[in-house]
Amino acid sequence: MLSNSSKYAVKAVLFLALHSSKDRKVMVKDISSPINVPQAYLAKLLQELSKEKIVSSTRGPKGGFFLSEEDNSQPVINILKIIDGEKRLTNCMLSLEQCDEEKPCPLHNILSASRLTILKHLKEKSIRDLSEDVKSGNSFLPL
């Protein structure tokens, strides 16, 4: 359901949520190693997220990426929509273009309810919610 690009983007955004602020910007090279993503690839993802106002950035000697209060309030699903597009989240699990409610594939009815639940949670959970879970020890991220 999630591409590697989306997984990398979520990890990078959570890294920023945990380690950055408006006064403490983080450079791509400092994110790349801890989350195990190639630096050039990560730069491209973060630039795309910055362009779409999911993360903030500044240029210059004290520049880098960070999350503003507004960024932290974004639902997690917005990261996935920007990186993969909404269709990736709703595509048929067997990659059948004709699959829909009226003409379901063999897995459609089995997975439909689960998919809707996952999408609902991704819409309801903010970046801040996930980073707070990590901070409180309810979940972990090896960063």
PDB file of all heavy atoms in Angstrom, residues 113-135:
ATOM      1  N   ALA A 113     -12.921  -3.099   3.922  1.00  0.00           N
ATOM      2  CA  ALA A 113     -13.175  -2.524   5.253  1.00  0.00           C
ATOM      3  C   ALA A 113     -11.868  -2.139   5.937  1.00  0.00           C
ATOM      4  O   ALA A 113     -11.765  -1.065   6.557  1.00  0.00           O
ATOM      5  CB  ALA A 113     -13.965  -3.498   6.112  1.00  0.00           C
ATOM      6  N   SER A 114     -10.861  -2.988   5.826  1.00  0.00           N
ATOM      7  CA  SER A 114      -9.559  -2.689   6.436  1.00  0.00           C
ATOM      8  C   SER A 114      -8.937  -1.449   5.821  1.00  0.00           C
ATOM      9  O   SER A 114      -8.395  -0.599   6.522  1.00  0.00           O
ATOM     10  CB  SER A 114      -8.601  -3.864   6.265  1.00  0.00           C
ATOM     11  OG  SER A 114      -9.097  -4.997   6.906  1.00  0.00           O
ATOM     12  N   ARG A 115      -9.008  -1.349   4.528  1.00  0.00           N
ATOM     13  CA  ARG A 115      -8.450  -0.189   3.833  1.00  0.00           C
ATOM     14  C   ARG A 115      -9.140   1.099   4.285  1.00  0.00           C
ATOM     15  O   ARG A 115      -8.490   2.107   4.544  1.00  0.00           O
ATOM     16  CB  ARG A 115      -8.582  -0.356   2.330  1.00  0.00           C
ATOM     17  CG  ARG A 115      -7.962   0.790   1.549  1.00  0.00           C
ATOM     18  CD  ARG A 115      -8.260   0.662   0.079  1.00  0.00           C
ATOM     19  NE  ARG A 115      -7.813  -0.598  -0.427  1.00  0.00           N
ATOM     20  CZ  ARG A 115      -6.848  -0.752  -1.312  1.00  0.00           C
ATOM     21  NH1 ARG A 115      -6.234   0.283  -1.798  1.00  0.00           N
ATOM     22  NH2 ARG A 115      -6.509  -1.941  -1.747  1.00  0.00           N
ATOM     23  N   LEU A 116     -10.456   1.058   4.389  1.00  0.00           N
ATOM     24  CA  LEU A 116     -11.194   2.242   4.836  1.00  0.00           C
ATOM     25  C   LEU A 116     -10.797   2.646   6.246  1.00  0.00           C
ATOM     26  O   LEU A 116     -10.662   3.832   6.555  1.00  0.00           O
ATOM     27  CB  LEU A 116     -12.705   1.994   4.746  1.00  0.00           C
ATOM     28  CG  LEU A 116     -13.287   1.893   3.343  1.00  0.00           C
ATOM     29  CD1 LEU A 116     -14.764   1.517   3.397  1.00  0.00           C
ATOM     30  CD2 LEU A 116     -13.084   3.195   2.584  1.00  0.00           C
ATOM     31  N   THR A 117     -10.591   1.670   7.109  1.00  0.00           N
ATOM     32  CA  THR A 117     -10.160   1.952   8.484  1.00  0.00           C
ATOM     33  C   THR A 117      -8.772   2.587   8.496  1.00  0.00           C
ATOM     34  O   THR A 117      -8.524   3.568   9.198  1.00  0.00           O
ATOM     35  CB  THR A 117     -10.166   0.659   9.328  1.00  0.00           C
ATOM     36  OG1 THR A 117     -11.503   0.138   9.335  1.00  0.00           O
ATOM     37  CG2 THR A 117      -9.710   0.919  10.744  1.00  0.00           C
ATOM     38  N   ILE A 118      -7.865   2.033   7.704  1.00  0.00           N
ATOM     39  CA  ILE A 118      -6.501   2.584   7.625  1.00  0.00           C
ATOM     40  C   ILE A 118      -6.541   4.021   7.112  1.00  0.00           C
ATOM     41  O   ILE A 118      -5.907   4.916   7.686  1.00  0.00           O
ATOM     42  CB  ILE A 118      -5.611   1.698   6.721  1.00  0.00           C
ATOM     43  CG1 ILE A 118      -5.352   0.356   7.399  1.00  0.00           C
ATOM     44  CG2 ILE A 118      -4.294   2.404   6.392  1.00  0.00           C
ATOM     45  CD1 ILE A 118      -4.731  -0.694   6.482  1.00  0.00           C
ATOM     46  N   LEU A 119      -7.280   4.266   6.051  1.00  0.00           N
ATOM     47  CA  LEU A 119      -7.376   5.615   5.499  1.00  0.00           C
ATOM     48  C   LEU A 119      -7.982   6.592   6.500  1.00  0.00           C
ATOM     49  O   LEU A 119      -7.532   7.736   6.614  1.00  0.00           O
ATOM     50  CB  LEU A 119      -8.186   5.606   4.196  1.00  0.00           C
ATOM     51  CG  LEU A 119      -7.506   4.933   3.006  1.00  0.00           C
ATOM     52  CD1 LEU A 119      -8.474   4.809   1.829  1.00  0.00           C
ATOM     53  CD2 LEU A 119      -6.247   5.660   2.599  1.00  0.00           C
ATOM     54  N   LYS A 120      -8.970   6.136   7.243  1.00  0.00           N
ATOM     55  CA  LYS A 120      -9.595   6.974   8.268  1.00  0.00           C
ATOM     56  C   LYS A 120      -8.555   7.373   9.323  1.00  0.00           C
ATOM     57  O   LYS A 120      -8.459   8.547   9.706  1.00  0.00           O
ATOM     58  CB  LYS A 120     -10.756   6.216   8.921  1.00  0.00           C
ATOM     59  CG  LYS A 120     -11.455   6.953  10.037  1.00  0.00           C
ATOM     60  CD  LYS A 120     -12.605   6.103  10.584  1.00  0.00           C
ATOM     61  CE  LYS A 120     -13.325   6.769  11.707  1.00  0.00           C
ATOM     62  NZ  LYS A 120     -12.704   6.580  12.994  1.00  0.00           N
ATOM     63  N   HIS A 121      -7.763   6.426   9.785  1.00  0.00           N
ATOM     64  CA  HIS A 121      -6.740   6.719  10.792  1.00  0.00           C
ATOM     65  C   HIS A 121      -5.664   7.654  10.238  1.00  0.00           C
ATOM     66  O   HIS A 121      -5.199   8.551  10.947  1.00  0.00           O
ATOM     67  CB  HIS A 121      -6.100   5.432  11.315  1.00  0.00           C
ATOM     68  CG  HIS A 121      -6.997   4.643  12.202  1.00  0.00           C
ATOM     69  ND1 HIS A 121      -7.477   5.114  13.399  1.00  0.00           N
ATOM     70  CD2 HIS A 121      -7.506   3.400  12.064  1.00  0.00           C
ATOM     71  CE1 HIS A 121      -8.246   4.202  13.966  1.00  0.00           C
ATOM     72  NE2 HIS A 121      -8.285   3.157  13.175  1.00  0.00           N
ATOM     73  N   LEU A 122      -5.269   7.448   8.991  1.00  0.00           N
ATOM     74  CA  LEU A 122      -4.260   8.316   8.387  1.00  0.00           C
ATOM     75  C   LEU A 122      -4.767   9.750   8.224  1.00  0.00           C
ATOM     76  O   LEU A 122      -3.992  10.700   8.272  1.00  0.00           O
ATOM     77  CB  LEU A 122      -3.815   7.760   7.035  1.00  0.00           C
ATOM     78  CG  LEU A 122      -2.991   6.478   7.076  1.00  0.00           C
ATOM     79  CD1 LEU A 122      -2.835   5.902   5.669  1.00  0.00           C
ATOM     80  CD2 LEU A 122      -1.634   6.725   7.715  1.00  0.00           C
ATOM     81  N   LYS A 123      -6.067   9.903   8.043  1.00  0.00           N
ATOM     82  CA  LYS A 123      -6.663  11.242   7.946  1.00  0.00           C
ATOM     83  C   LYS A 123      -6.787  11.892   9.320  1.00  0.00           C
ATOM     84  O   LYS A 123      -6.670  13.106   9.462  1.00  0.00           O
ATOM     85  CB  LYS A 123      -8.057  11.160   7.307  1.00  0.00           C
ATOM     86  CG  LYS A 123      -8.028  10.862   5.838  1.00  0.00           C
ATOM     87  CD  LYS A 123      -9.432  10.688   5.286  1.00  0.00           C
ATOM     88  CE  LYS A 123      -9.381  10.235   3.838  1.00  0.00           C
ATOM     89  NZ  LYS A 123     -10.706   9.891   3.312  1.00  0.00           N
ATOM     90  N   GLU A 124      -7.044  11.081  10.344  1.00  0.00           N
ATOM     91  CA  GLU A 124      -7.263  11.613  11.694  1.00  0.00           C
ATOM     92  C   GLU A 124      -5.973  11.882  12.460  1.00  0.00           C
ATOM     93  O   GLU A 124      -5.924  12.782  13.294  1.00  0.00           O
ATOM     94  CB  GLU A 124      -8.121  10.638  12.505  1.00  0.00           C
ATOM     95  CG  GLU A 124      -9.540  10.532  12.008  1.00  0.00           C
ATOM     96  CD  GLU A 124     -10.336   9.442  12.706  1.00  0.00           C
ATOM     97  OE1 GLU A 124      -9.751   8.658  13.474  1.00  0.00           O
ATOM     98  OE2 GLU A 124     -11.558   9.378  12.466  1.00  0.00           O
ATOM     99  N   LYS A 125      -4.934  11.108  12.204  1.00  0.00           N
ATOM    100  CA  LYS A 125      -3.677  11.249  12.944  1.00  0.00           C
ATOM    101  C   LYS A 125      -2.818  12.342  12.313  1.00  0.00           C
ATOM    102  O   LYS A 125      -2.558  12.340  11.115  1.00  0.00           O
ATOM    103  CB  LYS A 125      -2.874   9.944  12.934  1.00  0.00           C
ATOM    104  CG  LYS A 125      -3.465   8.858  13.798  1.00  0.00           C
ATOM    105  CD  LYS A 125      -3.243   9.170  15.257  1.00  0.00           C
ATOM    106  CE  LYS A 125      -3.704   8.012  16.121  1.00  0.00           C
ATOM    107  NZ  LYS A 125      -3.466   8.255  17.517  1.00  0.00           N
ATOM    108  N   SER A 126      -2.355  13.244  13.160  1.00  0.00           N
ATOM    109  CA  SER A 126      -1.468  14.308  12.684  1.00  0.00           C
ATOM    110  C   SER A 126      -0.015  13.869  12.849  1.00  0.00           C
ATOM    111  O   SER A 126       0.286  12.896  13.550  1.00  0.00           O
ATOM    112  CB  SER A 126      -1.709  15.595  13.475  1.00  0.00           C
ATOM    113  OG  SER A 126      -1.248  15.439  14.807  1.00  0.00           O
ATOM    114  N   ILE A 127       0.861  14.613  12.220  1.00  0.00           N
ATOM    115  CA  ILE A 127       2.291  14.382  12.386  1.00  0.00           C
ATOM    116  C   ILE A 127       2.640  14.490  13.871  1.00  0.00           C
ATOM    117  O   ILE A 127       3.379  13.681  14.413  1.00  0.00           O
ATOM    118  CB  ILE A 127       3.102  15.385  11.536  1.00  0.00           C
ATOM    119  CG1 ILE A 127       2.847  15.123  10.055  1.00  0.00           C
ATOM    120  CG2 ILE A 127       4.586  15.316  11.882  1.00  0.00           C
ATOM    121  CD1 ILE A 127       3.291  16.239   9.130  1.00  0.00           C
ATOM    122  N   ARG A 128       2.070  15.493  14.533  1.00  0.00           N
ATOM    123  CA  ARG A 128       2.302  15.680  15.967  1.00  0.00           C
ATOM    124  C   ARG A 128       1.871  14.448  16.767  1.00  0.00           C
ATOM    125  O   ARG A 128       2.568  14.016  17.681  1.00  0.00           O
ATOM    126  CB  ARG A 128       1.552  16.904  16.482  1.00  0.00           C
ATOM    127  CG  ARG A 128       1.732  17.130  17.986  1.00  0.00           C
ATOM    128  CD  ARG A 128       0.990  18.351  18.518  1.00  0.00           C
ATOM    129  NE  ARG A 128       1.581  19.568  17.990  1.00  0.00           N
ATOM    130  CZ  ARG A 128       1.053  20.333  17.034  1.00  0.00           C
ATOM    131  NH1 ARG A 128      -0.117  19.999  16.500  1.00  0.00           N
ATOM    132  NH2 ARG A 128       1.659  21.417  16.615  1.00  0.00           N
ATOM    133  N   ASP A 129       0.718  13.874  16.427  1.00  0.00           N
ATOM    134  CA  ASP A 129       0.228  12.680  17.136  1.00  0.00           C
ATOM    135  C   ASP A 129       1.258  11.551  17.065  1.00  0.00           C
ATOM    136  O   ASP A 129       1.544  10.899  18.071  1.00  0.00           O
ATOM    137  CB  ASP A 129      -1.097  12.182  16.535  1.00  0.00           C
ATOM    138  CG  ASP A 129      -2.257  13.136  16.760  1.00  0.00           C
ATOM    139  OD1 ASP A 129      -2.242  13.891  17.748  1.00  0.00           O
ATOM    140  OD2 ASP A 129      -3.184  13.108  15.922  1.00  0.00           O
ATOM    141  N   LEU A 130       1.805  11.320  15.866  1.00  0.00           N
ATOM    142  CA  LEU A 130       2.780  10.238  15.710  1.00  0.00           C
ATOM    143  C   LEU A 130       4.076  10.540  16.460  1.00  0.00           C
ATOM    144  O   LEU A 130       4.645   9.656  17.101  1.00  0.00           O
ATOM    145  CB  LEU A 130       3.082   9.981  14.233  1.00  0.00           C
ATOM    146  CG  LEU A 130       1.936   9.459  13.375  1.00  0.00           C
ATOM    147  CD1 LEU A 130       2.442   9.101  11.984  1.00  0.00           C
ATOM    148  CD2 LEU A 130       1.238   8.270  13.999  1.00  0.00           C
ATOM    149  N   SER A 131       4.524  11.785  16.399  1.00  0.00           N
ATOM    150  CA  SER A 131       5.767  12.118  17.106  1.00  0.00           C
ATOM    151  C   SER A 131       5.569  12.051  18.622  1.00  0.00           C
ATOM    152  O   SER A 131       6.474  11.638  19.347  1.00  0.00           O
ATOM    153  CB  SER A 131       6.307  13.485  16.677  1.00  0.00           C
ATOM    154  OG  SER A 131       5.461  14.528  17.063  1.00  0.00           O
ATOM    155  N   GLU A 132       4.402  12.398  19.103  1.00  0.00           N
ATOM    156  CA  GLU A 132       4.116  12.284  20.543  1.00  0.00           C
ATOM    157  C   GLU A 132       4.100  10.823  20.983  1.00  0.00           C
ATOM    158  O   GLU A 132       4.539  10.496  22.084  1.00  0.00           O
ATOM    159  CB  GLU A 132       2.788  12.967  20.895  1.00  0.00           C
ATOM    160  CG  GLU A 132       2.822  14.478  20.808  1.00  0.00           C
ATOM    161  CD  GLU A 132       3.811  15.126  21.762  1.00  0.00           C
ATOM    162  OE1 GLU A 132       3.993  14.612  22.897  1.00  0.00           O
ATOM    163  OE2 GLU A 132       4.408  16.150  21.383  1.00  0.00           O
ATOM    164  N   ASP A 133       3.598   9.946  20.125  1.00  0.00           N
ATOM    165  CA  ASP A 133       3.631   8.505  20.425  1.00  0.00           C
ATOM    166  C   ASP A 133       5.069   8.018  20.585  1.00  0.00           C
ATOM    167  O   ASP A 133       5.367   7.207  21.456  1.00  0.00           O
ATOM    168  CB  ASP A 133       2.941   7.697  19.322  1.00  0.00           C
ATOM    169  CG  ASP A 133       1.432   7.631  19.486  1.00  0.00           C
ATOM    170  OD1 ASP A 133       0.920   8.060  20.537  1.00  0.00           O
ATOM    171  OD2 ASP A 133       0.763   7.141  18.559  1.00  0.00           O
ATOM    172  N   VAL A 134       5.956   8.512  19.718  1.00  0.00           N
ATOM    173  CA  VAL A 134       7.371   8.123  19.809  1.00  0.00           C
ATOM    174  C   VAL A 134       7.979   8.690  21.091  1.00  0.00           C
ATOM    175  O   VAL A 134       8.648   7.976  21.845  1.00  0.00           O
ATOM    176  CB  VAL A 134       8.167   8.589  18.565  1.00  0.00           C
ATOM    177  CG1 VAL A 134       9.660   8.329  18.754  1.00  0.00           C
ATOM    178  CG2 VAL A 134       7.653   7.896  17.305  1.00  0.00           C
ATOM    179  N   LYS A 135       7.719   9.970  21.355  1.00  0.00           N
ATOM    180  CA  LYS A 135       8.278  10.611  22.557  1.00  0.00           C
ATOM    181  C   LYS A 135       7.817   9.921  23.838  1.00  0.00           C
ATOM    182  O   LYS A 135       8.582   9.800  24.791  1.00  0.00           O
ATOM    183  CB  LYS A 135       7.863  12.088  22.616  1.00  0.00           C
ATOM    184  CG  LYS A 135       8.580  12.961  21.629  1.00  0.00           C
ATOM    185  CD  LYS A 135       8.060  14.380  21.729  1.00  0.00           C
ATOM    186  CE  LYS A 135       8.590  15.246  20.612  1.00  0.00           C
ATOM    187  NZ  LYS A 135       7.958  16.583  20.622  1.00  0.00           N
TER     188      LYS A 135
END
